[in-house]
Amino acid sequence: MADGGELQEAWSGELFPAKPAPKVRPHYHGHRDRLRDRTRAGGFSGLPDYEFLELYLFRTIPRGDVKPLAKALIARFGSLPGVLGASLDELKTVGGVGDAVALDLKLLQEAALRVGKAAVVKRTVISSSSALSAYVRTALAHEPREQFRVLFLDKKNQLIADEVMNHGTVDHAPVYPREVMRRALELSASALILVHNHPSGDPTPSGADVQMTREIIEAGKALRIAIHDHLVVGRDGVASFKALGLF
């Protein structure tokens, strides 16, 4: 027969079990709702880049704290446009970025490009200089390698196509005037706007840029295809050959 001490011990363990330790809420508990509420009240314009990125990542990563990931992406690529301009492989070098996050970030860039392109399609491109400048900056300002592309225009100077003619290295993209003109003829283009980027960030045209532009202008003369401008895109802005008096 159990004595009183044994009974008391048995009752303590079975009838009055120890209370479980209270759950500790993570430090970010409620952060998503607070950020959403603040955005609804104040709009998007007041958000720093990393908080804008956080809001977007909420949809890709439905649980957990994404603030460290958003800040890591901004730190790695310098800005929100830098994040969106990075390639899929480059994005995945950041811890916490897998295929789904990388693809969703590129989707956001593609949406921005399509919105920008809509502002110049079916308009007289050369009279929509601000929209055109914004579009080419979105497309090229944060490209890590030099890229040469051509805007092909019809007789009304409306956009027929925007095509990448060549990719290059960090400081050079080979350009072949005959290939540019061949494609212009295929599209029945009447005029062109040349565009390329300087990954260094400085859009100032180089001597090689000037020489290459002159060669394309000469190739176009024989085919009565005009070159309206050559835009050089960098993180610091867009340089226009026409505005600079280079042709």
Side-chain angles (χ1 to χ4, degrees):
M1 183 174 178
D3 60 24
E6 290 174 336
L7 287 173
Q8 185 176 7
E9 184 178 350
W11 290 345
S12 297
E14 295 175 12
L15 299 180
F16 305 102
K19 292 182 179 180
K23 292 183 178 180
V24 178
R25 289 182 174 182
H27 67 88
Y28 53 83
H29 181 80
H31 172 68
R32 293 187 177 215
D33 288 338
R34 289 192 297 272
L35 182 54
R36 289 186 177 112
D37 289 344
R38 183 152 50 85
T39 304
R40 291 188 193 100
F44 292 97
S45 61
L47 295 178
D49 280 357
Y50 80 87
E51 287 190 334
F52 181 92
L53 200 50
E54 271 191 89
L55 276 171
Y56 185 74
L57 290 172
F58 287 170
R59 301 177 180 280
T60 312
I61 304 174
R63 293 181 180 82
D65 185 10
V66 297
K67 181 187 288 186
L69 177 56
K71 287 189 171 182
L73 284 162
I74 298 295
R76 170 67 174 81
F77 299 107
S79 65
L80 180 60
V83 172
L84 302 185
S87 69
L88 288 169
D89 288 340
E90 288 170 333
L91 288 167
K92 287 189 284 186
T93 64
V94 177
V97 177
D99 289 336
V101 171
L103 188 61
D104 277 3
L105 290 171
K106 296 307 294 181
L107 180 64
L108 185 56
Q109 185 201 29
E110 180 62 23
L113 284 172
R114 294 190 182 205
V115 169
K117 190 173 183 178
V120 296
V121 171
K122 295 302 179 184
R123 294 187 182 185
T124 304
V125 171
I126 57 174
S127 65
S128 305
S129 58
S130 60
L132 178 59
S133 179
Y135 170 60
V136 298
R137 285 195 72 176
T138 301
L140 287 173
H142 294 275
E143 274 289 320
R145 295 180 299 162
E146 198 163 298
Q147 184 184 113
F148 181 80
R149 57 204 297 164
V150 178
L151 308 184
F152 297 92
L153 311 178
D154 63 15
K155 292 179 180 179
K156 296 181 179 179
N157 287 320
Q158 294 178 341
L159 185 66
I160 299 172
D162 167 19
E163 296 187 359
V164 177
M165 299 298 293
N166 221 326
H167 288 91
T169 63
V170 294
D171 60 2
H172 177 65
V175 181
Y176 305 101
R178 282 188 298 178
E179 289 300 307
V180 173
M181 292 303 148
R182 179 187 63 79
R183 185 61 178 147
L185 291 172
E186 289 175 352
L187 294 169
S188 299
S190 297
L192 313 175
I193 294 177
L194 313 176
V195 186
H196 84 281
N197 64 306
H198 282 177
S200 66
D202 181 4
T204 304
S206 67
D209 294 339
V210 174
Q211 179 59 35
M212 175 264 289
T213 304
R214 288 172 178 166
E215 291 174 3
I216 295 177
I217 289 172
E218 288 302 313
K221 283 181 179 178
L223 302 172
R224 296 184 179 179
I225 296 175
I227 312 301
H228 285 324
D229 206 346
H230 185 168
L231 304 177
V232 185
V233 184
R235 289 185 300 276
D236 299 336
V238 178
S240 160
F241 272 52
K242 186 174 182 180
L244 292 170
L246 293 175
F247 72 82

